[in-house]
Amino acid sequence: MHLSTVKGAGVVARTGAEARRVQGTASVYELATAAIAAGHGLAEEVARRGLGEAVDLSRATFELPVSHPDPAHLHLTGTGLTHLGSASARDAMHAKLEGAETLTDSMKMFRMGLEAGRPARGEVGAQPEWFYKGNGHAAVAPGAALEAPACAEDGGEEPEVAGVYLIGPNGAPYRIGWALGNEFSDHVTERVNYLWLAHSKLRVASYGPEILVGELPADVRGTSRILRGGAVLWEKPFLSGEANMSHTLANLEHHHFKYGIFCQPGDLHVHFFGTATLSYADGIKTEPGDVFEIEADAFGQPLRNPLSFAPKTKGATSVLPL
């Protein structure tokens, strides 16, 4: 089952090719909250409410598939150096691992994942790289523009799978499902110095349009492309899912939710799981008006967002005394 939020139709559930409005449902957040309270899954909650009229998702205008009534209680976070990449990239990485004394911090982190990122079920493995992107004010609906801030040096796509979670009344995280994500970043800033990674990640991001409820396929195969003037400027396949990762998803989830601050009842989390495919790595320089498009069969409708840049500002930000 897939869930989405369509403007004018509300919450829509899709099974196979059939998409129908979920009756009596204000939001996916409300649906998930009710499912937790009832002690059953989302599919059972949808069945209890029933389905209404059909919705043509190919012609729909999407909102965020799930959001929080208070944007300050939606957390956008992510993890990197989690994917094996292509066979050639993997071989190159393994070759570099032979000289541990010359490894960069990034390569050391990658090696930790290779060696201890896939622990036995119930065990704790190596912790990954982790970063914060912002709260619900940084969450951009499918179809809306991803705006790079005035301080940005670049605006680049990162095609990823994101996990979507709601914290229950007892502080336990419940996974609503999985969504395509564009973990929009500034790779020029990051490349200057890896310690600027935190700065490069403080950007808006988009996810959806559909949430896959249930298990994520082990082998996710999709396509990431950039359109300029309606034509394809760049296109490349991307891989995700545990078959293409150095960490298990359970290990990555543990290392996010092991912190009590991320287990506050009622909070919503969208956690991006990393990628190995970037147009920036192929020398692409994005421009305002470019459209990012990310698609994978497992997720249904593609995630599309145009790129924009906030006007440049002069001088430093002024802080006013009280």
Side-chain angles (χ1 to χ4, degrees), residues 56 63 74 84 101 151 209 221 257 285 307:
D56 184 353
E63 299 178 5
L74 191 164
L84 299 172
E101 71 281 355
C151 62
R221 295 172 180 262
F257 290 112
K285 176 67 175 176
L307 170 65

Side-chain angles (χ1 to χ4, degrees), residues 79-280:
T79 186
L81 301 173
T82 55
H83 283 63
L84 299 172
S86 66
S88 59
R90 191 180 311 155
D91 289 342
M93 287 180 176
H94 280 284
K96 291 179 182 179
L97 294 179
E98 295 176 1
E101 71 281 355
T102 64
L103 294 181
T104 64
D105 285 343
S106 294
M107 290 304 299
K108 290 176 183 176
M109 183 72 73
F110 181 77
R111 184 178 66 174
M112 290 170 66
L114 287 176
E115 294 177 346
R118 305 181 70 86
R121 186 171 183 176
E123 299 293 321
V124 176
Q127 63 181 356
E129 173 192 61
W130 182 96
F131 54 82
Y132 174 73
K133 288 195 67 66
N135 59 24
H137 293 288
V140 174
L146 293 169
E147 183 180 75
C151 62
E153 298 293 336
D154 184 37
E157 87 298 334
E158 293 205 13
E160 306 191 17
V161 169
V164 184
Y165 308 87
L166 177 60
I167 309 302
N170 60 352
Y174 289 82
R175 187 191 312 113
I176 295 174
W178 316 91
L180 287 176
N182 189 335
E183 195 269 289
F184 186 59
S185 301
D186 184 340
H187 302 108
V188 172
T189 293
E190 178 186 349
R191 189 173 184 178
V192 173
N193 188 309
Y194 190 71
L195 294 179
W196 283 0
L197 174 76
H199 290 282
S200 74
K201 295 297 187 181
L202 283 172
R203 301 290 186 270
V204 295
S206 189
Y207 54 94
E210 299 185 63
I211 294 175
L212 169 62
V213 177
E215 294 301 315
L216 181 72
D219 185 17
V220 175
R221 295 172 180 262
T223 303
S224 178
R225 63 178 62 90
I226 298 176
L227 306 176
R228 182 173 293 171
V232 176
L233 171 71
W234 174 88
E235 181 178 89
K236 205 166 190 176
F238 74 91
L239 303 175
S240 193
E242 287 191 352
N244 303 297
M245 298 173 68
S246 54
H247 287 261
T248 63
L249 292 164
N251 189 53
L252 299 177
E253 289 174 331
H254 162 75
H255 284 296
H256 178 68
F257 290 112
K258 68 184 180 183
Y259 296 105
I261 191 66
F262 294 142
C263 296
Q264 301 302 306
D267 279 5
L268 190 68
H269 292 254
V270 178
H271 192 63
F272 295 87
F273 286 109
T275 188
T277 305
L278 306 170
S279 65
Y280 177 78

